[in-house]
DNA sequence: CCCTGATTCGC
DNA sequence: GCGAATCAGG
């Protein structure tokens, strides 16, 4: 595969859209993400944000010709403490879990946002349905089903990173409480 | 381990 | 110019 005009355009478009190199590579096909990244660099658009081109960028200092009075530092707003506690779907199950540590919450009765719920349903269909012993540091530890049943398994999908769950389950586990708005029912 | 982009360097 | 290998980070 070579970089035809079309392919390059797709590349540019997607890259500008913020697509990841791997996604672009997948889309184009026949190339790896490395190829994409390499091309991106060669095209000189390694930087995605600035649609503006800044040919001249030299020397530090003197970035501000204007009299920047005071407050040159907007300072980081930083994430507010925003009590976005994970609010684990409270599990009433006695400590049934084996050598559990932080222990996964039960998805059960809780007001979960429809979107997140939908995601979970999705995921559960593709879940690897691994057993307890198969749980590793990087498998989603979201439990599904009743532990007392044979119909019990763990999601097992790749975890987000750090988190104990896969993306979808992280979504339902760590809800910003803003979405917990009590929707009438 | 999964993923990101960044760089290098033989081709 | 190309992109695999590698590097550096999350």
């Amino acid at each position: 595969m070579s970089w035809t005009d079309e392919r390059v355009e797709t590349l540019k478009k997607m890259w500008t859209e913020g697509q990841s190199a791997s996604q672009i590579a997948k889309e184009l096909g026949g190339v790896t993400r490395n190829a994409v990244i390499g091309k991106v660099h060669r095209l000189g658009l390694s930087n995605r944000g600035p649609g503006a081109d800044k040919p001249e960028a030299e020397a530090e200092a003197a970035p501000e010709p204007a009299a920047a009075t005071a407050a040159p530092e907007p300072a980081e707003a930083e994430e507010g403490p925003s009590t976005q506690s994970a609010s684990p779907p409270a599990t009433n199950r006695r400590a049934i879990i084996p050598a559990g540590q932080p222990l996964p919450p039960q998805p059960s009765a809780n007001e979960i946002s429809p979107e997140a719920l939908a995601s979970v349903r999705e995921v559960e269909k593709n879940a690897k349905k691994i057993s307890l012993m198969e749980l590793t540091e990087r498998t989603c530890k979201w439990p599904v089903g009743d532990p007392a049943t044979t119909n019990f398994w763990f999601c097992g999908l790749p975890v987000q990173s750090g988190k104990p769950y896969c993306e979808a389950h992280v979504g339902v586990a760590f809800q910003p409480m803003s979405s917990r708005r009590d929707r009438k029912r």
Side-chain angles (χ1 to χ4, degrees), chain A residues 21-22 33 41 48 138:
Chain A
S22 62
R33 83 186 184 87
H41 274 235
R48 298 199 228 206
R138 53 199 85 68

PDB file of all heavy atoms in Angstrom, chain A residues 21-22 33 41 48 138, chain B residues 1 3-7:
ATOM      1  N   ALA A  21      -3.812   7.120  15.915  1.00  0.00           N
ATOM      2  CA  ALA A  21      -3.052   6.576  14.796  1.00  0.00           C
ATOM      3  C   ALA A  21      -3.470   5.147  14.488  1.00  0.00           C
ATOM      4  O   ALA A  21      -3.586   4.754  13.331  1.00  0.00           O
ATOM      5  CB  ALA A  21      -1.566   6.628  15.119  1.00  0.00           C
ATOM      6  N   SER A  22      -3.716   4.403  15.505  1.00  0.00           N
ATOM      7  CA  SER A  22      -4.084   3.005  15.275  1.00  0.00           C
ATOM      8  C   SER A  22      -5.442   2.903  14.593  1.00  0.00           C
ATOM      9  O   SER A  22      -5.674   2.036  13.771  1.00  0.00           O
ATOM     10  CB  SER A  22      -4.103   2.243  16.596  1.00  0.00           C
ATOM     11  OG  SER A  22      -5.065   2.777  17.463  1.00  0.00           O
ATOM     12  N   ARG A  33      -0.018   1.433  12.639  1.00  0.00           N
ATOM     13  CA  ARG A  33      -0.152   2.751  13.263  1.00  0.00           C
ATOM     14  C   ARG A  33       1.175   3.475  13.175  1.00  0.00           C
ATOM     15  O   ARG A  33       1.239   4.695  13.087  1.00  0.00           O
ATOM     16  CB  ARG A  33      -0.625   2.621  14.707  1.00  0.00           C
ATOM     17  CG  ARG A  33       0.446   2.333  15.671  1.00  0.00           C
ATOM     18  CD  ARG A  33      -0.059   2.060  17.073  1.00  0.00           C
ATOM     19  NE  ARG A  33       1.088   1.882  17.944  1.00  0.00           N
ATOM     20  CZ  ARG A  33       1.700   2.866  18.544  1.00  0.00           C
ATOM     21  NH1 ARG A  33       1.274   4.096  18.387  1.00  0.00           N
ATOM     22  NH2 ARG A  33       2.741   2.654  19.287  1.00  0.00           N
ATOM     23  N   HIS A  41       4.095  12.656  10.720  1.00  0.00           N
ATOM     24  CA  HIS A  41       5.263  13.499  10.992  1.00  0.00           C
ATOM     25  C   HIS A  41       5.834  14.075   9.717  1.00  0.00           C
ATOM     26  O   HIS A  41       6.180  15.240   9.647  1.00  0.00           O
ATOM     27  CB  HIS A  41       6.326  12.681  11.713  1.00  0.00           C
ATOM     28  CG  HIS A  41       6.105  12.660  13.181  1.00  0.00           C
ATOM     29  ND1 HIS A  41       7.058  13.044  14.091  1.00  0.00           N
ATOM     30  CD2 HIS A  41       5.005  12.338  13.897  1.00  0.00           C
ATOM     31  CE1 HIS A  41       6.557  12.940  15.311  1.00  0.00           C
ATOM     32  NE2 HIS A  41       5.318  12.498  15.222  1.00  0.00           N
ATOM     33  N   ARG A  48      -1.954  18.403  16.397  1.00  0.00           N
ATOM     34  CA  ARG A  48      -3.328  18.380  15.946  1.00  0.00           C
ATOM     35  C   ARG A  48      -4.085  19.657  16.257  1.00  0.00           C
ATOM     36  O   ARG A  48      -4.885  20.096  15.522  1.00  0.00           O
ATOM     37  CB  ARG A  48      -4.082  17.241  16.604  1.00  0.00           C
ATOM     38  CG  ARG A  48      -3.545  15.918  16.264  1.00  0.00           C
ATOM     39  CD  ARG A  48      -4.572  14.881  16.548  1.00  0.00           C
ATOM     40  NE  ARG A  48      -3.993  13.797  17.307  1.00  0.00           N
ATOM     41  CZ  ARG A  48      -4.458  12.577  17.279  1.00  0.00           C
ATOM     42  NH1 ARG A  48      -5.478  12.296  16.562  1.00  0.00           N
ATOM     43  NH2 ARG A  48      -3.885  11.647  17.971  1.00  0.00           N
ATOM     44  N   ARG A 138      -5.203  -7.431  35.090  1.00  0.00           N
ATOM     45  CA  ARG A 138      -5.690  -6.616  33.988  1.00  0.00           C
ATOM     46  C   ARG A 138      -6.937  -7.134  33.309  1.00  0.00           C
ATOM     47  O   ARG A 138      -7.187  -6.873  32.169  1.00  0.00           O
ATOM     48  CB  ARG A 138      -4.594  -6.436  32.979  1.00  0.00           C
ATOM     49  CG  ARG A 138      -4.003  -7.721  32.547  1.00  0.00           C
ATOM     50  CD  ARG A 138      -2.650  -7.523  31.925  1.00  0.00           C
ATOM     51  NE  ARG A 138      -1.587  -7.473  32.892  1.00  0.00           N
ATOM     52  CZ  ARG A 138      -1.208  -8.535  33.614  1.00  0.00           C
ATOM     53  NH1 ARG A 138      -1.849  -9.662  33.541  1.00  0.00           N
ATOM     54  NH2 ARG A 138      -0.195  -8.424  34.422  1.00  0.00           N
TER      55      ARG A 138
ATOM     56  P    DC B   1       2.814  -9.127  30.291  1.00  0.00           P
ATOM     57  OP1  DC B   1       2.636  -9.267  31.702  1.00  0.00           O
ATOM     58  OP2  DC B   1       2.944 -10.250  29.412  1.00  0.00           O
ATOM     59  O5'  DC B   1       1.582  -8.277  29.747  1.00  0.00           O
ATOM     60  C5'  DC B   1       0.343  -8.994  29.719  1.00  0.00           C
ATOM     61  C4'  DC B   1      -0.744  -8.076  29.380  1.00  0.00           C
ATOM     62  O4'  DC B   1      -0.719  -6.983  30.299  1.00  0.00           O
ATOM     63  C3'  DC B   1      -0.608  -7.499  27.987  1.00  0.00           C
ATOM     64  O3'  DC B   1      -1.734  -7.872  27.221  1.00  0.00           O
ATOM     65  C2'  DC B   1      -0.601  -6.020  28.176  1.00  0.00           C
ATOM     66  C1'  DC B   1      -1.038  -5.808  29.603  1.00  0.00           C
ATOM     67  N1   DC B   1      -0.270  -4.702  30.225  1.00  0.00           N
ATOM     68  C2   DC B   1      -0.959  -3.530  30.524  1.00  0.00           C
ATOM     69  O2   DC B   1      -2.167  -3.497  30.326  1.00  0.00           O
ATOM     70  N3   DC B   1      -0.280  -2.485  31.021  1.00  0.00           N
ATOM     71  C4   DC B   1       1.035  -2.587  31.226  1.00  0.00           C
ATOM     72  N4   DC B   1       1.673  -1.536  31.711  1.00  0.00           N
ATOM     73  C5   DC B   1       1.761  -3.776  30.952  1.00  0.00           C
ATOM     74  C6   DC B   1       1.073  -4.810  30.444  1.00  0.00           C
ATOM     75  P    DC B   3      -4.488  -3.022  22.460  1.00  0.00           P
ATOM     76  OP1  DC B   3      -5.697  -3.092  21.619  1.00  0.00           O
ATOM     77  OP2  DC B   3      -3.239  -3.640  21.998  1.00  0.00           O
ATOM     78  O5'  DC B   3      -4.163  -1.497  22.792  1.00  0.00           O
ATOM     79  C5'  DC B   3      -5.249  -0.631  23.116  1.00  0.00           C
ATOM     80  C4'  DC B   3      -4.706   0.704  23.562  1.00  0.00           C
ATOM     81  O4'  DC B   3      -3.729   0.518  24.604  1.00  0.00           O
ATOM     82  C3'  DC B   3      -3.929   1.468  22.498  1.00  0.00           C
ATOM     83  O3'  DC B   3      -4.818   2.238  21.704  1.00  0.00           O
ATOM     84  C2'  DC B   3      -3.110   2.412  23.345  1.00  0.00           C
ATOM     85  C1'  DC B   3      -2.912   1.676  24.634  1.00  0.00           C
ATOM     86  N1   DC B   3      -1.522   1.234  24.818  1.00  0.00           N
ATOM     87  C2   DC B   3      -0.648   2.124  25.426  1.00  0.00           C
ATOM     88  O2   DC B   3      -1.076   3.210  25.810  1.00  0.00           O
ATOM     89  N3   DC B   3       0.647   1.773  25.575  1.00  0.00           N
ATOM     90  C4   DC B   3       1.066   0.579  25.144  1.00  0.00           C
ATOM     91  N4   DC B   3       2.353   0.271  25.316  1.00  0.00           N
ATOM     92  C5   DC B   3       0.183  -0.351  24.521  1.00  0.00           C
ATOM     93  C6   DC B   3      -1.099   0.018  24.368  1.00  0.00           C
ATOM     94  P    DT B   4      -4.322   2.959  20.387  1.00  0.00           P
ATOM     95  OP1  DT B   4      -5.525   3.200  19.615  1.00  0.00           O
ATOM     96  OP2  DT B   4      -3.196   2.179  19.855  1.00  0.00           O
ATOM     97  O5'  DT B   4      -3.649   4.365  20.723  1.00  0.00           O
ATOM     98  C5'  DT B   4      -3.826   4.967  21.834  1.00  0.00           C
ATOM     99  C4'  DT B   4      -3.035   6.218  22.046  1.00  0.00           C
ATOM    100  O4'  DT B   4      -2.207   5.953  23.186  1.00  0.00           O
ATOM    101  C3'  DT B   4      -2.091   6.767  20.997  1.00  0.00           C
ATOM    102  O3'  DT B   4      -2.736   7.735  20.210  1.00  0.00           O
ATOM    103  C2'  DT B   4      -0.990   7.402  21.830  1.00  0.00           C
ATOM    104  C1'  DT B   4      -0.932   6.479  23.031  1.00  0.00           C
ATOM    105  N1   DT B   4       0.022   5.358  22.876  1.00  0.00           N
ATOM    106  C2   DT B   4       1.295   5.577  23.291  1.00  0.00           C
ATOM    107  O2   DT B   4       1.657   6.641  23.773  1.00  0.00           O
ATOM    108  N3   DT B   4       2.134   4.502  23.155  1.00  0.00           N
ATOM    109  C4   DT B   4       1.837   3.280  22.634  1.00  0.00           C
ATOM    110  O4   DT B   4       2.687   2.407  22.581  1.00  0.00           O
ATOM    111  C5   DT B   4       0.467   3.121  22.198  1.00  0.00           C
ATOM    112  C7   DT B   4       0.036   1.811  21.615  1.00  0.00           C
ATOM    113  C6   DT B   4      -0.352   4.160  22.344  1.00  0.00           C
ATOM    114  P    DG B   5      -2.204   8.049  18.787  1.00  0.00           P
ATOM    115  OP1  DG B   5      -3.224   8.861  18.113  1.00  0.00           O
ATOM    116  OP2  DG B   5      -1.743   6.784  18.179  1.00  0.00           O
ATOM    117  O5'  DG B   5      -0.895   8.945  19.049  1.00  0.00           O
ATOM    118  C5'  DG B   5      -1.013  10.141  19.809  1.00  0.00           C
ATOM    119  C4'  DG B   5       0.391  10.649  20.143  1.00  0.00           C
ATOM    120  O4'  DG B   5       1.126   9.592  20.781  1.00  0.00           O
ATOM    121  C3'  DG B   5       1.224  11.054  18.928  1.00  0.00           C
ATOM    122  O3'  DG B   5       2.079  12.143  19.281  1.00  0.00           O
ATOM    123  C2'  DG B   5       2.026   9.811  18.648  1.00  0.00           C
ATOM    124  C1'  DG B   5       2.309   9.321  20.056  1.00  0.00           C
ATOM    125  N9   DG B   5       2.568   7.887  20.107  1.00  0.00           N
ATOM    126  C8   DG B   5       1.757   6.858  19.704  1.00  0.00           C
ATOM    127  N7   DG B   5       2.287   5.674  19.851  1.00  0.00           N
ATOM    128  C5   DG B   5       3.534   5.945  20.386  1.00  0.00           C
ATOM    129  C6   DG B   5       4.578   5.060  20.757  1.00  0.00           C
ATOM    130  O6   DG B   5       4.602   3.819  20.690  1.00  0.00           O
ATOM    131  N1   DG B   5       5.680   5.746  21.265  1.00  0.00           N
ATOM    132  C2   DG B   5       5.761   7.112  21.395  1.00  0.00           C
ATOM    133  N2   DG B   5       6.889   7.602  21.894  1.00  0.00           N
ATOM    134  N3   DG B   5       4.797   7.949  21.057  1.00  0.00           N
ATOM    135  C4   DG B   5       3.721   7.298  20.557  1.00  0.00           C
ATOM    136  P    DA B   6       3.361  12.516  18.428  1.00  0.00           P
ATOM    137  OP1  DA B   6       3.677  13.935  18.670  1.00  0.00           O
ATOM    138  OP2  DA B   6       3.202  11.996  17.062  1.00  0.00           O
ATOM    139  O5'  DA B   6       4.493  11.658  19.175  1.00  0.00           O
ATOM    140  C5'  DA B   6       5.035  12.138  20.394  1.00  0.00           C
ATOM    141  C4'  DA B   6       6.553  12.018  20.363  1.00  0.00           C
ATOM    142  O4'  DA B   6       6.924  10.624  20.332  1.00  0.00           O
ATOM    143  C3'  DA B   6       7.202  12.659  19.141  1.00  0.00           C
ATOM    144  O3'  DA B   6       8.453  13.187  19.538  1.00  0.00           O
ATOM    145  C2'  DA B   6       7.348  11.509  18.168  1.00  0.00           C
ATOM    146  C1'  DA B   6       7.539  10.310  19.079  1.00  0.00           C
ATOM    147  N9   DA B   6       6.908   9.080  18.593  1.00  0.00           N
ATOM    148  C8   DA B   6       5.673   8.927  18.054  1.00  0.00           C
ATOM    149  N7   DA B   6       5.365   7.681  17.744  1.00  0.00           N
ATOM    150  C5   DA B   6       6.488   6.970  18.114  1.00  0.00           C
ATOM    151  C6   DA B   6       6.805   5.603  18.062  1.00  0.00           C
ATOM    152  N6   DA B   6       5.980   4.661  17.595  1.00  0.00           N
ATOM    153  N1   DA B   6       8.019   5.227  18.511  1.00  0.00           N
ATOM    154  C2   DA B   6       8.837   6.164  18.988  1.00  0.00           C
ATOM    155  N3   DA B   6       8.651   7.477  19.101  1.00  0.00           N
ATOM    156  C4   DA B   6       7.446   7.816  18.639  1.00  0.00           C
ATOM    157  P    DT B   7       9.453  13.929  18.496  1.00  0.00           P
ATOM    158  OP1  DT B   7       9.916  15.132  19.149  1.00  0.00           O
ATOM    159  OP2  DT B   7       8.814  14.005  17.156  1.00  0.00           O
ATOM    160  O5'  DT B   7      10.677  12.919  18.390  1.00  0.00           O
ATOM    161  C5'  DT B   7      10.602  11.684  19.008  1.00  0.00           C
ATOM    162  C4'  DT B   7      11.855  10.851  18.737  1.00  0.00           C
ATOM    163  O4'  DT B   7      11.388   9.519  18.459  1.00  0.00           O
ATOM    164  C3'  DT B   7      12.704  11.284  17.547  1.00  0.00           C
ATOM    165  O3'  DT B   7      14.079  11.158  17.891  1.00  0.00           O
ATOM    166  C2'  DT B   7      12.319  10.313  16.453  1.00  0.00           C
ATOM    167  C1'  DT B   7      11.878   9.071  17.217  1.00  0.00           C
ATOM    168  N1   DT B   7      10.764   8.347  16.572  1.00  0.00           N
ATOM    169  C2   DT B   7      10.834   6.972  16.491  1.00  0.00           C
ATOM    170  O2   DT B   7      11.774   6.331  16.935  1.00  0.00           O
ATOM    171  N3   DT B   7       9.765   6.378  15.889  1.00  0.00           N
ATOM    172  C4   DT B   7       8.645   6.990  15.352  1.00  0.00           C
ATOM    173  O4   DT B   7       7.752   6.332  14.848  1.00  0.00           O
ATOM    174  C5   DT B   7       8.643   8.440  15.458  1.00  0.00           C
ATOM    175  C7   DT B   7       7.495   9.226  14.914  1.00  0.00           C
ATOM    176  C6   DT B   7       9.688   9.045  16.063  1.00  0.00           C
TER     177       DT B   7
END
